[in-house]
Amino acid sequence: MAFALFNDKDELVSKWYSDKVEVSKLVGEDPISATDNFELGEIAAGKYQLAVGIVNKNENDSKDITLAIKYPKVIEGEWVYVSDIELKNN
């Protein structure tokens, strides 16, 4: 699993890989839950779109598996929109 932030022009700002979700567990109807933390580093304050995808890190982040979501909002290829977020300076 990978998560990404996109700006308002649908340009990739940053992405993070998670090992908290076993992809094989995504098959079926049973809900799953996972919590992960990511360092935001030097990302500027502002509004972004959070997206998720199943990527193959060994194949240049190819999207070998498409998420089965009804009427997904897709960003830049096969990244699936999750939510708008706003980052603020501390």
Side-chain angles (χ1 to χ4, degrees):
M1 295 291 302
F3 296 88
L5 283 184
F6 290 87
N7 63 20
D8 60 354
K9 298 176 185 165
D10 290 348
E11 298 167 330
L12 180 67
V13 174
S14 190
K15 68 181 161 189
W16 304 270
Y17 302 101
S18 175
D19 61 358
K20 302 291 182 179
V21 175
E22 171 55 45
V23 175
S24 66
K25 302 281 186 196
L26 297 174
V27 177
E29 297 181 13
D30 294 332
I32 62 166
S33 177
T35 301
D36 213 331
N37 296 304
F38 304 104
E39 290 293 325
L40 298 179
E42 300 296 321
I43 299 173
K47 294 182 180 182
Y48 297 93
Q49 299 174 89
L50 176 64
V52 64
I54 301 174
V55 300
N56 183 340
K57 291 193 297 187
N58 297 323
E59 298 281 335
N60 198 28
D61 286 351
S62 66
K63 312 290 186 305
D64 296 340
I65 301 172
T66 301
L67 292 169
I69 298 174
K70 275 189 174 182
Y71 313 114
K73 175 181 176 184
V74 177
I75 305 171
E76 187 61 34
E78 295 183 32
W79 289 97
V80 175
Y81 169 86
V82 174
S83 156
D84 288 325
I85 65 169
E86 183 172 357
L87 302 180
K88 297 180 180 181
N89 290 332
N90 289 333

